[in-house]
Amino acid sequence: MSKVVRFHRVGGPEVLQIDDVDVRAPGIGEVRIKVKALGLNRAEAMYRSGQYTFIPEMPAILGYEAAGTIESIGEGVTEFAIGDEVNVIPAFSFADYGMYGELVIAPLHAIVKQPAGMTAVEGAATWMQFVTAYGALIDIGDLKKGETVLIRAASSSVGLAAIQIANLLGAVPVALTRTSEKRQALLDAGAAHVIATKEQNLVAEVNRITGSKGARMAFDPVGGAEVANILHSLSPLGIFFQYGALDTSEMRIPVMEVLGKNLTIRGYQLFEVTQDAERLSRAKTFITKGLESGGLYPLIAKTYPFERIVEAHQYMESNAQIGKIVIEI
């Protein structure tokens, strides 16, 4: 038996409970992992509250990221061995797998050996954020040295990862945040510029930063009314990535701006990369090299013990954190 976090009805953090569950043996192409740490993600809060892309089947498991030791392997697994320290990459559905547990099953394609020099806490805080940012900025967007990228909700783990990747490429990361409260923290995290969108004129600031050329790319998990201003801030042939829906209200699209600049507006999810073996392999290589060189590093906002999972979800929904929230087991 293993302790596993599940929920039996949708709702707030309080619906999460720790159940004793008999975790099955790994099947073909699977491993069973003794978890040391797991990372929290917004997608898990959306799934728990019934606002995800599909409805959970009760009792529901959840969790995209974990770090731990392989405890047993299934048939056909040759790349990994019992005792290997591994991290789990979000490359599966909650309908099939969930990482919130002491002992979990993971598919072979979703695991990677923990990069040298990293702890389990760091490993559990790494892959969602860096693969998400890599997929948009590099795999699809082909961000180049000297280009400007607008990064909304920049204090989130994915936003911070995007700042680091932009800096690694020699691009110019501009952090977008609602108020000036997190300005210094974002500058300390590597942002070249910070724009507080409730306090400053976004379009004017981007024009000032870029010499009126506009930003080549925008990376946004929020949506809503502010999207119109972001599109006004892009350069001709610019690309706008919508990778989340923290604001579910309708986006305002300035049609003449889109036509006049030949802009691309694109929905994006990291599964576009993680469910394609070749693209995922390139992402693993880029991120592992970045981590081992020190150019990429996960920022940890706070850690909690496993039994305080409800409190950890409450903290995630407070939006007070800068970086990743991690559960230690």
Side-chain angles (χ1 to χ4, degrees):
M1 301 291 284
S2 170
K3 294 190 180 302
V4 173
V5 174
R6 302 192 298 183
F7 58 100
H8 298 252
R9 58 187 174 88
V10 297
E14 70 281 356
V15 304
L16 297 175
Q17 63 185 63
I18 298 176
D19 296 334
D20 289 319
V21 175
D22 186 9
V23 178
R24 64 177 174 82
I28 297 172
E30 295 178 330
V31 300
R32 193 162 66 181
I33 299 170
K34 185 177 181 180
V35 176
K36 295 180 178 180
L38 55 94
L40 302 193
N41 294 284
R42 290 282 180 182
E44 293 145 10
M46 294 175 70
Y47 184 59
R48 183 210 70 221
S49 60
Q51 298 176 335
Y52 203 49
T53 53
F54 63 93
I55 302 300
E57 183 176 330
M58 304 301 176
I61 56 174
L62 74 173
Y64 273 134
E65 292 180 281
T69 306
I70 292 181
E71 179 260 3
S72 58
I73 58 175
E75 184 181 342
V77 176
T78 58
E79 301 94 323
F80 297 90
I82 293 171
D84 281 350
E85 298 294 320
V86 295
N87 302 159
V88 179
I89 301 172
F92 47 83
S93 168
F94 291 143
D96 301 316
Y97 301 97
M99 298 299 119
Y100 280 19
E102 294 177 324
L103 202 61
V104 301
I105 301 292
L108 180 61
H109 69 271
I111 62 172
V112 61
K113 287 187 178 179
Q114 185 164 289
M118 291 187 68
T119 66
V121 167
E122 292 168 335
T126 291
W127 294 93
M128 168 69 88
Q129 59 175 314
F130 285 113
V131 175
T132 301
Y134 165 92
L137 273 59
I138 298 178
D139 184 273
I140 302 168
D142 194 25
L143 186 66
K144 300 293 188 186
K145 181 178 180 179
E147 293 181 335
T148 300
V149 54
L150 307 180
I151 302 167
R152 197 171 179 197
S155 61
S156 69
S157 60
V158 176
L160 295 170
I163 289 172
Q164 292 182 24
I165 288 175
N167 281 327
L168 200 60
L169 297 174
V172 181
V174 178
L176 307 186
T177 185
R178 288 175 295 177
T179 70
S180 296
E181 182 181 358
K182 297 178 180 178
R183 181 183 298 276
Q184 190 57 52
L186 289 168
L187 291 170
D188 293 343
H193 306 274
V194 177
I195 301 174
T197 57
K198 282 190 174 182
E199 302 170 7
Q200 297 173 276
N201 184 305
L202 173 60
V203 178
E205 287 299 307
V206 173
N207 281 334
R208 179 186 63 80
I209 291 165
T210 63
S212 297
K213 293 178 181 178
R216 217 272 286 175
M217 188 181 298
F219 187 50
D220 183 2
V222 183
E226 191 64 34
V227 169
N229 287 327
I230 295 173
L231 294 175
H232 281 300
S233 303
L234 294 182
S235 64
L237 300 178
I239 182 168
F240 172 87
F241 286 101
Q242 187 71 46
Y243 74 95
L246 297 179
D247 183 342
T248 56
S249 64
E250 295 295 323
M251 295 192 301
R252 294 207 307 263
I253 306 298
V255 176
M256 298 311 294
E257 189 81 8
V258 173
L259 292 174
K261 292 182 179 178
N262 295 316
L263 300 179
T264 297
I265 300 173
R266 194 186 195 288
Y268 163 71
Q269 297 183 69
L270 89 160
F271 301 110
E272 187 174 339
V273 173
T274 62
Q275 293 180 354
D276 181 313
E278 190 173 320
R279 294 169 75 183
L280 178 57
S281 178
R282 290 196 297 266
K284 288 178 180 178
T285 299
F286 176 88
I287 294 164
T288 298
K289 286 182 178 179
L291 292 166
E292 292 179 346
S293 73
L296 303 179
Y297 47 92
L299 294 175
I300 312 298
K302 198 170 184 179
T303 61
Y304 286 86
F306 187 62
E307 61 270 17
R308 290 169 61 190
I309 185 69
V310 170
E311 185 180 341
H313 264 242
Q314 290 169 338
Y315 180 59
M316 178 167 60
E317 294 192 345
S318 75
N319 296 318
Q321 74 274 17
I322 298 176
K324 194 80 168 182
I325 303 167
V326 178
I327 302 294
E328 292 187 86
I329 300 180

